[in-house]
Amino acid sequence: MSKLPDSSSATGTELRKSVTFLEAMAIVVGMIIGSGIFLKPGIVLADAGSFGLSILAWGAGGIITLASALSVAEIAATIPRAGGLYAYLEDLYGEAVGFLLGWVQAVISYPASVAALAIAFASYSGYFLPMNGWQQKLLAIGILLFILLMNVISTKYGGIIQLLATAGKLIPVVGIVAFGLLSGSQPGFAGVSGLATGAAAGFGAAILGTLWAYDGWIGVTNMAGEMKNPAKTLPKVILIGVSFVIVVYVLFNLAIFRSLSFEQIVSSPTPGADAAQALLGSGGGAFITAGIIVSVLGALNGYLMTAARVPQAMGERGIVPFSGFLRRIHPRFGTPANALIFQAALAIVYIFSGTFNTLTDLLVFVLWIFFTAGVFGVFVLRRTVGTEPGRYRVPLYPITPIVGIAGGLYILVSTLMDSPVRSLIGIGITLIGLPVFYWMKRRTRS
Protein backbone atom coordinates (compact mmCIF):
# COMPACT_ATOMS: atom_id res chain seq x y z
CA MET A 1 0.00 0.00 0.00
CA SER A 2 1.55 3.32 -1.08
CA LYS A 3 1.99 6.23 1.26
CA LEU A 4 1.48 9.93 0.73
CA PRO A 5 4.07 12.31 2.18
CA ASP A 6 3.72 13.18 5.82
CA SER A 7 2.09 16.57 6.30
CA SER A 8 4.78 18.11 8.43
CA SER A 9 7.77 16.87 6.48
CA ALA A 10 6.12 17.66 3.16
CA THR A 11 5.83 21.35 3.82
CA GLY A 12 8.46 22.02 6.48
CA THR A 13 5.92 24.40 7.98
CA GLU A 14 6.71 26.34 11.14
CA LEU A 15 3.18 27.60 11.71
CA ARG A 16 2.13 27.31 15.32
CA LYS A 17 -0.39 24.64 16.29
CA SER A 18 -2.77 27.21 17.75
CA VAL A 19 -6.15 26.54 16.08
CA THR A 20 -8.52 24.92 18.58
CA PHE A 21 -11.52 22.71 17.88
CA LEU A 22 -13.97 25.54 18.65
CA GLU A 23 -12.09 27.99 16.45
CA ALA A 24 -12.07 25.49 13.59
CA MET A 25 -15.80 24.97 14.12
CA ALA A 26 -16.32 28.75 14.01
CA ILE A 27 -14.43 28.86 10.70
CA VAL A 28 -16.75 26.25 9.17
CA VAL A 29 -19.98 27.82 10.45
CA GLY A 30 -18.77 31.40 10.01
CA MET A 31 -17.67 30.92 6.40
CA ILE A 32 -20.89 29.15 5.38
CA ILE A 33 -23.34 31.49 7.10
CA GLY A 34 -22.80 34.86 5.44
CA SER A 35 -25.53 37.14 4.16
CA GLY A 36 -27.09 34.43 1.99
CA ILE A 37 -29.32 32.98 4.71
CA PHE A 38 -30.94 36.40 5.20
CA LEU A 39 -31.43 37.05 1.47
CA LYS A 40 -31.88 33.66 -0.26
CA PRO A 41 -35.18 32.30 1.17
CA GLY A 42 -37.33 34.27 -1.26
CA ILE A 43 -35.29 33.23 -4.31
CA VAL A 44 -35.35 29.55 -3.32
CA LEU A 45 -39.08 29.70 -2.58
CA ALA A 46 -39.83 31.36 -5.92
CA ASP A 47 -37.95 28.63 -7.79
CA ALA A 48 -39.45 25.78 -5.75
CA GLY A 49 -43.00 27.10 -6.06
CA SER A 50 -44.18 25.90 -2.67
CA PHE A 51 -43.23 25.94 0.97
CA GLY A 52 -42.86 22.18 1.16
CA LEU A 53 -40.59 21.97 -1.86
CA SER A 54 -38.59 24.94 -0.63
CA ILE A 55 -37.82 23.21 2.68
CA LEU A 56 -37.05 20.03 0.74
CA ALA A 57 -34.63 22.01 -1.44
CA TRP A 58 -32.78 23.36 1.61
CA GLY A 59 -32.59 19.83 2.99
CA ALA A 60 -31.43 18.37 -0.34
CA GLY A 61 -28.77 21.06 -0.75
CA GLY A 62 -27.60 20.31 2.77
CA ILE A 63 -27.40 16.57 2.11
CA ILE A 64 -25.35 17.14 -1.06
CA THR A 65 -23.05 19.49 0.84
CA LEU A 66 -22.72 17.06 3.74
CA ALA A 67 -21.95 14.19 1.35
CA SER A 68 -19.20 16.27 -0.25
CA ALA A 69 -17.90 17.32 3.16
CA LEU A 70 -17.76 13.77 4.51
CA SER A 71 -15.89 12.65 1.39
CA VAL A 72 -13.32 15.44 1.52
CA ALA A 73 -12.94 14.80 5.25
CA GLU A 74 -11.45 11.37 4.49
CA ILE A 75 -8.88 13.02 2.22
CA ALA A 76 -8.20 15.65 4.90
CA ALA A 77 -7.63 12.92 7.49
CA THR A 78 -5.11 11.22 5.18
CA ILE A 79 -3.37 14.34 3.84
CA PRO A 80 -3.70 16.80 6.76
CA ARG A 81 -1.32 19.47 5.52
CA ALA A 82 -1.68 23.20 5.01
CA GLY A 83 -3.23 24.39 1.78
CA GLY A 84 -6.42 22.35 1.91
CA LEU A 85 -7.90 21.40 -1.44
CA TYR A 86 -4.84 22.71 -3.29
CA ALA A 87 -2.66 20.25 -1.37
CA TYR A 88 -5.10 17.36 -1.88
CA LEU A 89 -5.33 17.86 -5.65
CA GLU A 90 -1.55 18.15 -5.88
CA ASP A 91 -1.03 14.81 -4.16
CA LEU A 92 -3.93 13.03 -5.89
CA TYR A 93 -3.72 14.36 -9.46
CA GLY A 94 -0.25 15.84 -9.79
CA GLU A 95 1.51 19.15 -9.21
CA ALA A 96 0.06 20.90 -12.27
CA VAL A 97 -3.56 20.33 -11.21
CA GLY A 98 -2.89 21.46 -7.67
CA PHE A 99 -0.98 24.50 -8.90
CA LEU A 100 -3.83 25.65 -11.15
CA LEU A 101 -6.26 25.62 -8.23
CA GLY A 102 -3.76 27.38 -5.97
CA TRP A 103 -3.12 29.90 -8.74
CA VAL A 104 -6.75 30.97 -9.15
CA GLN A 105 -7.39 30.85 -5.40
CA ALA A 106 -4.37 32.92 -4.37
CA VAL A 107 -4.39 35.48 -7.18
CA ILE A 108 -8.09 35.93 -7.92
CA SER A 109 -10.72 33.90 -6.07
CA TYR A 110 -9.81 34.43 -2.42
CA PRO A 111 -8.74 38.10 -2.60
CA ALA A 112 -11.75 38.95 -4.79
CA SER A 113 -14.05 37.24 -2.25
CA VAL A 114 -12.36 39.14 0.59
CA ALA A 115 -12.90 42.40 -1.34
CA ALA A 116 -16.56 41.58 -1.95
CA LEU A 117 -17.12 40.83 1.75
CA ALA A 118 -15.37 44.04 2.82
CA ILE A 119 -17.58 46.07 0.46
CA ALA A 120 -20.66 44.18 1.72
CA PHE A 121 -19.70 45.10 5.30
CA ALA A 122 -19.47 48.79 4.33
CA SER A 123 -22.69 48.67 2.30
CA TYR A 124 -24.77 47.19 5.14
CA SER A 125 -23.14 49.64 7.56
CA GLY A 126 -24.74 52.37 5.45
CA TYR A 127 -28.06 51.42 7.08
CA PHE A 128 -26.82 53.07 10.27
CA LEU A 129 -24.31 55.54 8.81
CA PRO A 130 -25.12 56.85 5.30
CA MET A 131 -22.04 56.99 3.07
CA ASN A 132 -21.17 57.75 -0.53
CA GLY A 133 -19.25 55.34 -2.75
CA TRP A 134 -15.75 56.49 -1.78
CA GLN A 135 -16.59 56.52 1.91
CA GLN A 136 -17.82 52.93 1.62
CA LYS A 137 -14.55 51.91 -0.04
CA LEU A 138 -12.53 53.57 2.70
CA LEU A 139 -14.56 51.82 5.39
CA ALA A 140 -14.15 48.51 3.54
CA ILE A 141 -10.37 48.99 3.43
CA GLY A 142 -10.33 50.06 7.08
CA ILE A 143 -12.13 46.94 8.33
CA LEU A 144 -9.96 44.78 6.08
CA LEU A 145 -6.77 46.30 7.51
CA PHE A 146 -8.07 45.74 11.05
CA ILE A 147 -8.76 42.06 10.30
CA LEU A 148 -5.33 41.80 8.63
CA LEU A 149 -3.56 43.30 11.65
CA MET A 150 -5.27 40.93 14.09
CA ASN A 151 -4.38 37.89 12.00
CA VAL A 152 -0.78 39.02 11.53
CA ILE A 153 -0.27 39.59 15.25
CA SER A 154 -1.71 36.21 16.18
CA THR A 155 -3.72 33.42 14.61
CA LYS A 156 -5.30 33.20 18.05
CA TYR A 157 -6.67 36.74 17.64
CA GLY A 158 -8.13 35.77 14.29
CA GLY A 159 -9.67 32.72 15.94
CA ILE A 160 -11.18 34.86 18.71
CA ILE A 161 -12.69 37.24 16.15
CA GLN A 162 -14.10 34.23 14.33
CA LEU A 163 -15.63 32.81 17.51
CA LEU A 164 -17.19 36.14 18.54
CA ALA A 165 -18.48 36.93 15.04
CA THR A 166 -19.96 33.45 14.63
CA ALA A 167 -21.71 33.71 18.01
CA GLY A 168 -22.88 37.22 17.13
CA LYS A 169 -24.27 36.25 13.74
CA LEU A 170 -26.28 33.44 15.31
CA ILE A 171 -28.11 35.85 17.64
CA PRO A 172 -30.47 37.29 14.97
CA VAL A 173 -30.87 33.85 13.41
CA VAL A 174 -31.81 32.26 16.73
CA GLY A 175 -34.05 35.24 17.53
CA ILE A 176 -36.04 34.87 14.32
CA VAL A 177 -36.23 31.10 14.72
CA ALA A 178 -37.44 31.35 18.32
CA PHE A 179 -39.99 34.12 17.75
CA GLY A 180 -41.09 32.69 14.41
CA LEU A 181 -41.66 29.11 15.54
CA LEU A 182 -43.41 30.22 18.73
CA SER A 183 -45.53 32.81 16.96
CA GLY A 184 -49.25 32.18 16.94
CA SER A 185 -49.54 33.89 13.57
CA GLN A 186 -48.61 31.76 10.61
CA PRO A 187 -49.65 33.49 7.37
CA GLY A 188 -47.23 31.48 5.30
CA PHE A 189 -48.59 28.14 6.47
CA ALA A 190 -52.23 29.08 6.00
CA GLY A 191 -52.24 27.57 2.54
CA VAL A 192 -49.33 25.18 2.91
CA SER A 193 -51.38 22.05 2.33
CA GLY A 194 -52.29 23.19 -1.14
CA LEU A 195 -48.92 24.62 -2.00
CA ALA A 196 -46.72 21.83 -0.71
CA THR A 197 -47.44 19.65 -3.72
CA GLY A 198 -47.03 22.43 -6.25
CA ALA A 199 -45.19 22.16 -9.55
CA ALA A 200 -41.56 21.08 -9.22
CA ALA A 201 -40.34 22.61 -12.47
CA GLY A 202 -37.96 24.92 -10.65
CA PHE A 203 -36.95 22.50 -7.92
CA GLY A 204 -33.52 21.97 -9.46
CA ALA A 205 -32.93 25.71 -9.57
CA ALA A 206 -34.01 25.92 -5.94
CA ILE A 207 -31.44 23.30 -4.93
CA LEU A 208 -28.81 25.22 -6.89
CA GLY A 209 -29.65 28.35 -4.90
CA THR A 210 -29.22 26.53 -1.61
CA LEU A 211 -25.87 25.05 -2.66
CA TRP A 212 -24.47 28.56 -3.05
CA ALA A 213 -25.66 29.32 0.50
CA TYR A 214 -23.85 26.23 1.81
CA ASP A 215 -20.54 27.13 0.15
CA GLY A 216 -17.42 28.01 2.16
CA TRP A 217 -16.95 25.10 4.57
CA ILE A 218 -13.90 23.71 2.79
CA GLY A 219 -11.84 26.74 3.82
CA VAL A 220 -11.18 25.14 7.20
CA THR A 221 -9.00 22.49 5.53
CA ASN A 222 -6.50 25.25 4.67
CA MET A 223 -5.78 25.50 8.41
CA ALA A 224 -4.76 21.85 8.85
CA GLY A 225 -1.13 22.77 9.42
CA GLU A 226 -2.10 24.77 12.50
CA MET A 227 -4.37 22.22 14.18
CA LYS A 228 -3.42 19.72 16.82
CA ASN A 229 -4.08 16.24 15.44
CA PRO A 230 -5.81 17.46 12.24
CA ALA A 231 -6.40 13.88 11.04
CA LYS A 232 -9.00 13.51 13.81
CA THR A 233 -10.06 17.13 14.26
CA LEU A 234 -10.90 17.99 10.64
CA PRO A 235 -13.48 15.21 10.04
CA LYS A 236 -15.27 16.03 13.32
CA VAL A 237 -15.28 19.76 12.65
CA ILE A 238 -16.56 19.36 9.10
CA LEU A 239 -19.27 16.84 10.06
CA ILE A 240 -20.58 18.76 13.08
CA GLY A 241 -20.25 22.20 11.48
CA VAL A 242 -22.04 21.38 8.22
CA SER A 243 -24.76 19.41 10.05
CA PHE A 244 -25.34 22.36 12.38
CA VAL A 245 -25.73 24.76 9.45
CA ILE A 246 -28.27 22.47 7.76
CA VAL A 247 -30.44 22.49 10.90
CA VAL A 248 -30.10 26.28 11.22
CA TYR A 249 -31.06 26.88 7.59
CA VAL A 250 -34.14 24.65 7.73
CA LEU A 251 -35.37 26.15 11.02
CA PHE A 252 -34.72 29.70 9.79
CA ASN A 253 -36.83 29.11 6.70
CA LEU A 254 -39.62 27.52 8.74
CA ALA A 255 -39.63 30.59 10.99
CA ILE A 256 -39.88 32.92 7.98
CA PHE A 257 -42.76 30.89 6.58
CA ARG A 258 -44.61 31.32 9.87
CA SER A 259 -44.02 35.08 9.77
CA LEU A 260 -44.72 36.10 6.17
CA SER A 261 -47.05 35.05 3.39
CA PHE A 262 -45.89 33.29 0.24
CA GLU A 263 -46.27 36.50 -1.79
CA GLN A 264 -44.37 38.59 0.77
CA ILE A 265 -41.42 36.22 0.84
CA VAL A 266 -41.16 35.84 -2.93
CA SER A 267 -41.47 39.55 -3.68
CA SER A 268 -39.01 40.74 -1.02
CA PRO A 269 -35.26 41.10 -1.68
CA THR A 270 -34.68 40.94 2.10
CA PRO A 271 -37.14 38.38 3.54
CA GLY A 272 -35.03 37.97 6.67
CA ALA A 273 -35.39 41.66 7.54
CA ASP A 274 -39.11 41.60 6.72
CA ALA A 275 -39.62 38.60 8.99
CA ALA A 276 -37.71 40.33 11.80
CA GLN A 277 -39.86 43.43 11.42
CA ALA A 278 -43.07 41.38 11.43
CA LEU A 279 -41.94 39.56 14.57
CA LEU A 280 -40.11 42.32 16.44
CA GLY A 281 -41.70 45.51 15.19
CA SER A 282 -39.99 48.59 13.78
CA GLY A 283 -36.64 47.62 15.31
CA GLY A 284 -36.58 44.35 13.40
CA GLY A 285 -34.91 45.83 10.33
CA ALA A 286 -32.07 47.28 12.41
CA PHE A 287 -31.75 44.00 14.32
CA ILE A 288 -31.38 41.88 11.22
CA THR A 289 -29.09 44.41 9.49
CA ALA A 290 -26.79 44.40 12.50
CA GLY A 291 -26.83 40.60 12.31
CA ILE A 292 -25.86 40.69 8.64
CA ILE A 293 -22.98 43.09 9.39
CA VAL A 294 -21.63 40.76 12.08
CA SER A 295 -22.21 37.78 9.80
CA VAL A 296 -20.27 39.38 6.95
CA LEU A 297 -17.49 40.35 9.37
CA GLY A 298 -17.11 36.72 10.43
CA ALA A 299 -17.02 35.55 6.83
CA LEU A 300 -14.45 38.24 5.97
CA ASN A 301 -12.18 37.17 8.82
CA GLY A 302 -12.57 33.49 7.90
CA TYR A 303 -11.83 34.06 4.23
CA LEU A 304 -8.73 36.20 4.84
CA MET A 305 -7.43 33.80 7.50
CA THR A 306 -7.82 30.70 5.33
CA ALA A 307 -6.88 32.42 2.06
CA ALA A 308 -3.34 33.20 3.21
CA ARG A 309 -2.60 29.53 3.85
CA VAL A 310 -2.75 28.71 0.12
CA PRO A 311 0.05 31.00 -1.15
CA GLN A 312 2.02 30.24 2.02
CA ALA A 313 1.78 26.49 1.32
CA MET A 314 2.66 27.03 -2.34
CA GLY A 315 5.64 29.09 -1.26
CA GLU A 316 6.75 26.20 0.98
CA ARG A 317 6.78 23.99 -2.11
CA GLY A 318 8.74 26.63 -4.05
CA ILE A 319 6.36 26.51 -7.02
CA VAL A 320 5.27 30.16 -7.23
CA PRO A 321 7.14 33.39 -7.93
CA PHE A 322 8.37 35.07 -4.73
CA SER A 323 8.17 31.75 -2.89
CA GLY A 324 10.77 32.90 -0.39
CA PHE A 325 8.61 35.87 0.55
CA LEU A 326 5.27 34.05 0.65
CA ARG A 327 6.41 31.07 2.71
CA ARG A 328 8.07 33.15 5.40
CA ILE A 329 6.61 32.85 8.88
CA HIS A 330 6.84 35.90 11.14
CA PRO A 331 9.62 35.09 13.64
CA ARG A 332 7.81 36.71 16.56
CA PHE A 333 4.15 36.06 15.88
CA GLY A 334 4.42 32.67 14.17
CA THR A 335 1.85 33.67 11.54
CA PRO A 336 2.04 33.67 7.70
CA ALA A 337 2.26 37.47 7.81
CA ASN A 338 3.62 37.93 4.28
CA ALA A 339 0.95 35.75 2.70
CA LEU A 340 -1.74 37.58 4.69
CA ILE A 341 -0.41 40.95 3.49
CA PHE A 342 -0.25 39.64 -0.09
CA GLN A 343 -3.91 38.56 -0.03
CA ALA A 344 -5.04 41.81 1.62
CA ALA A 345 -3.09 43.92 -0.89
CA LEU A 346 -4.76 42.16 -3.83
CA ALA A 347 -8.15 42.57 -2.15
CA ILE A 348 -7.57 46.33 -1.80
CA VAL A 349 -6.70 46.52 -5.51
CA TYR A 350 -9.97 44.74 -6.32
CA ILE A 351 -11.90 47.08 -3.97
CA PHE A 352 -10.58 50.15 -5.80
CA SER A 353 -11.07 48.62 -9.25
CA GLY A 354 -14.58 47.38 -8.47
CA THR A 355 -13.91 44.12 -10.35
CA PHE A 356 -14.39 41.68 -7.46
CA ASN A 357 -17.90 40.52 -8.37
CA THR A 358 -16.96 40.08 -12.03
CA LEU A 359 -13.89 38.03 -11.14
CA THR A 360 -15.70 35.76 -8.69
CA ASP A 361 -18.49 35.20 -11.23
CA LEU A 362 -15.96 34.26 -13.91
CA LEU A 363 -14.38 31.59 -11.71
CA VAL A 364 -17.51 29.87 -10.39
CA PHE A 365 -17.41 27.19 -13.08
CA VAL A 366 -13.67 26.55 -12.71
CA LEU A 367 -13.72 26.36 -8.93
CA TRP A 368 -16.52 23.80 -9.01
CA ILE A 369 -14.49 21.68 -11.43
CA PHE A 370 -11.73 21.53 -8.84
CA PHE A 371 -14.18 21.04 -6.00
CA THR A 372 -15.92 18.13 -7.74
CA ALA A 373 -12.51 16.63 -8.54
CA GLY A 374 -11.73 16.92 -4.84
CA VAL A 375 -14.82 14.91 -3.89
CA PHE A 376 -13.96 12.33 -6.55
CA GLY A 377 -10.50 12.24 -5.02
CA VAL A 378 -11.72 9.88 -2.30
CA PHE A 379 -11.94 7.15 -4.97
CA VAL A 380 -8.40 7.97 -6.13
CA LEU A 381 -7.25 7.93 -2.52
CA ARG A 382 -8.75 4.51 -1.83
CA ARG A 383 -7.08 3.08 -4.94
CA THR A 384 -3.61 4.57 -4.40
CA VAL A 385 -3.30 4.68 -0.61
CA GLY A 386 -6.05 2.41 0.65
CA THR A 387 -7.39 2.72 4.17
CA GLU A 388 -5.71 2.33 7.52
CA PRO A 389 -7.29 0.96 10.71
CA GLY A 390 -8.45 3.72 13.03
CA ARG A 391 -8.36 6.45 10.38
CA TYR A 392 -11.61 8.24 9.46
CA ARG A 393 -13.43 6.78 6.47
CA VAL A 394 -16.42 8.31 4.71
CA PRO A 395 -19.61 6.48 5.79
CA LEU A 396 -21.79 4.64 3.26
CA TYR A 397 -18.96 4.54 0.71
CA PRO A 398 -19.33 4.76 -2.31
CA ILE A 399 -22.87 6.20 -2.12
CA THR A 400 -21.86 9.28 -0.12
CA PRO A 401 -19.18 10.59 -2.52
CA ILE A 402 -21.41 9.77 -5.50
CA VAL A 403 -24.09 12.06 -4.05
CA GLY A 404 -21.50 14.82 -3.60
CA ILE A 405 -20.18 14.36 -7.14
CA ALA A 406 -23.73 14.44 -8.55
CA GLY A 407 -24.31 17.78 -6.83
CA GLY A 408 -21.07 19.17 -8.22
CA LEU A 409 -21.87 17.99 -11.75
CA TYR A 410 -25.31 19.54 -11.51
CA ILE A 411 -23.79 22.92 -10.64
CA LEU A 412 -21.26 22.59 -13.48
CA VAL A 413 -23.89 21.73 -16.09
CA SER A 414 -26.24 24.46 -14.87
CA THR A 415 -23.49 27.07 -14.87
CA LEU A 416 -22.21 26.07 -18.30
CA MET A 417 -25.72 26.21 -19.81
CA ASP A 418 -26.56 29.50 -18.13
CA SER A 419 -23.23 31.28 -18.76
CA PRO A 420 -21.14 29.44 -21.40
CA VAL A 421 -18.99 32.42 -22.37
CA ARG A 422 -18.26 33.35 -18.76
CA SER A 423 -17.36 29.73 -17.99
CA LEU A 424 -14.93 29.54 -20.90
CA ILE A 425 -13.30 32.83 -19.88
CA GLY A 426 -12.83 31.37 -16.41
CA ILE A 427 -11.09 28.33 -17.89
CA GLY A 428 -8.86 30.64 -19.92
CA ILE A 429 -7.89 32.65 -16.83
CA THR A 430 -7.05 29.43 -15.03
CA LEU A 431 -4.89 28.07 -17.86
CA ILE A 432 -2.78 31.24 -17.79
CA GLY A 433 -1.24 29.65 -14.72
CA LEU A 434 0.29 26.80 -16.75
CA PRO A 435 3.16 28.86 -18.26
CA VAL A 436 3.92 30.13 -14.75
CA PHE A 437 3.96 26.57 -13.42
CA TYR A 438 6.33 25.23 -16.10
CA TRP A 439 8.56 28.31 -15.83
CA MET A 440 8.91 27.73 -12.09
CA LYS A 441 9.62 24.02 -12.66
CA ARG A 442 12.41 24.82 -15.11
CA ARG A 443 13.78 27.46 -12.77
CA THR A 444 13.81 24.98 -9.87
CA ARG A 445 15.58 22.29 -11.95
CA SER A 446 18.20 24.75 -13.18
Side-chain angles (χ1 to χ4, degrees):
M1 182 171 61
S2 61
K3 296 280 187 180
L4 291 170
D6 176 73
S7 60
S8 57
S9 62
T11 63
T13 180
E14 297 177 4
L15 292 167
R16 295 175 181 172
K17 302 283 187 179
S18 60
V19 178
T20 66
F21 181 87
L22 283 179
E23 289 166 349
M25 184 73 67
I27 291 172
V28 174
V29 176
M31 290 186 68
I32 297 177
I33 302 179
S35 60
I37 181 60
F38 302 103
L39 309 176
K40 279 284 187 181
I43 298 172
V44 174
L45 180 59
D47 287 331
S50 74
F51 293 116
L53 287 177
S54 176
I55 293 296
L56 188 60
W58 283 102
I63 290 172
I64 292 172
T65 302
L66 186 59
S68 301
L70 292 173
S71 302
V72 173
E74 179 172 332
I75 304 174
T78 309
I79 318 173
R81 64 182 179 90
L85 187 59
Y86 144 71
Y88 309 155
L89 296 183
E90 185 181 68
D91 283 346
L92 295 171
Y93 300 108
E95 286 187 328
V97 176
F99 178 88
L100 288 179
L101 173 61
W103 160 264
V104 295
Q105 283 184 327
V107 178
I108 303 174
S109 175
Y110 272 134
S113 296
V114 168
L117 287 165
I119 286 291
F121 177 90
S123 299
Y124 285 113
S125 297
Y127 182 92
F128 301 101
L129 182 65
M131 293 173 284
N132 59 35
W134 273 104
Q135 289 171 330
Q136 284 189 352
K137 287 185 178 182
L138 291 176
L139 177 58
I141 293 171
I143 192 63
L144 173 57
L145 291 177
F146 169 75
I147 295 295
L148 170 65
L149 179 62
M150 292 298 100
N151 278 276
V152 166
I153 293 175
S154 173
T155 299
K156 181 62 63 178
Y157 288 167
I160 292 172
I161 293 173
Q162 195 65 30
L163 278 170
L164 293 176
T166 300
K169 74 172 60 182
L170 290 176
I171 292 175
V173 174
V174 172
I176 291 178
V177 169
F179 282 98
L181 296 183
L182 295 175
S183 173
S185 172
Q186 40 184 320
F189 280 96
V192 71
S193 59
L195 289 167
T197 56
F203 184 64
I207 294 178
L208 186 62
T210 68
L211 287 172
W212 300 134
Y214 282 111
D215 192 29
W217 60 268
I218 201 168
V220 73
T221 61
N222 295 359
M223 309 294 294
E226 293 153 271
M227 293 180 188
K228 296 177 181 178
N229 197 2
K232 290 186 177 180
T233 301
L234 273 174
K236 291 180 182 178
V237 164
I238 291 172
L239 171 60
I240 298 173
V242 174
S243 299
F244 174 77
V245 172
I246 294 172
V247 173
V248 168
Y249 278 7
V250 171
L251 291 178
F252 187 82
N253 279 271
L254 287 173
I256 288 180
F257 296 164
R258 290 183 66 95
S259 310
L260 304 172
S261 68
F262 183 95
E263 291 75 16
Q264 287 176 307
I265 298 172
V266 170
S267 61
S268 173
T270 56
D274 292 346
Q277 188 165 349
L279 293 168
L280 306 175
S282 58
F287 178 66
I288 204 71
T289 303
I292 292 176
I293 291 172
V294 175
S295 186
V296 170
L297 178 65
L300 171 60
N301 181 75
Y303 266 88
L304 181 61
M305 178 191 295
T306 58
R309 273 62 186 180
V310 174
Q312 194 276 331
M314 296 179 78
E316 285 281 357
R317 309 285 269 192
I319 61 172
V320 287
F322 310 107
S323 289
F325 174 82
L326 291 173
R327 69 169 172 250
R328 194 170 301 145
I329 305 302
H330 195 284
R332 178 180 175 185
F333 303 134
T335 60
N338 291 355
L340 282 163
I341 293 170
F342 170 68
Q343 292 291 274
L346 282 177
I348 290 173
V349 171
Y350 293 146
I351 288 173
F352 277 120
S353 66
T355 59
F356 44 86
N357 284 328
T358 301
L359 290 170
T360 52
D361 289 345
L362 287 173
L363 292 177
V364 166
F365 181 75
V366 170
L367 290 175
W368 274 93
I369 291 177
F370 289 119
F371 181 75
T372 306
V375 179
F376 182 79
V378 73
F379 293 104
V380 180
L381 189 74
R382 291 280 185 103
R383 189 179 71 250
T384 58
V385 179
T387 58
E388 294 184 8
R391 177 172 286 168
Y392 168 81
R393 290 181 290 180
V394 57
L396 301 179
Y397 179 90
I399 297 174
T400 300
I402 289 174
V403 171
I405 292 168
L409 290 176
Y410 175 65
I411 289 181
L412 287 173
V413 172
S414 298
T415 305
L416 185 61
M417 293 178 62
D418 183 59
S419 308
V421 175
R422 192 166 60 189
S423 300
L424 292 175
I425 292 175
I427 292 175
I429 292 173
T430 304
L431 293 178
I432 291 174
L434 279 179
V436 179
F437 171 75
Y438 288 114
W439 174 69
M440 287 300 300
K441 291 289 287 185
R442 285 197 299 270
R443 180 181 172 183
T444 302
R445 283 197 297 267
S446 63

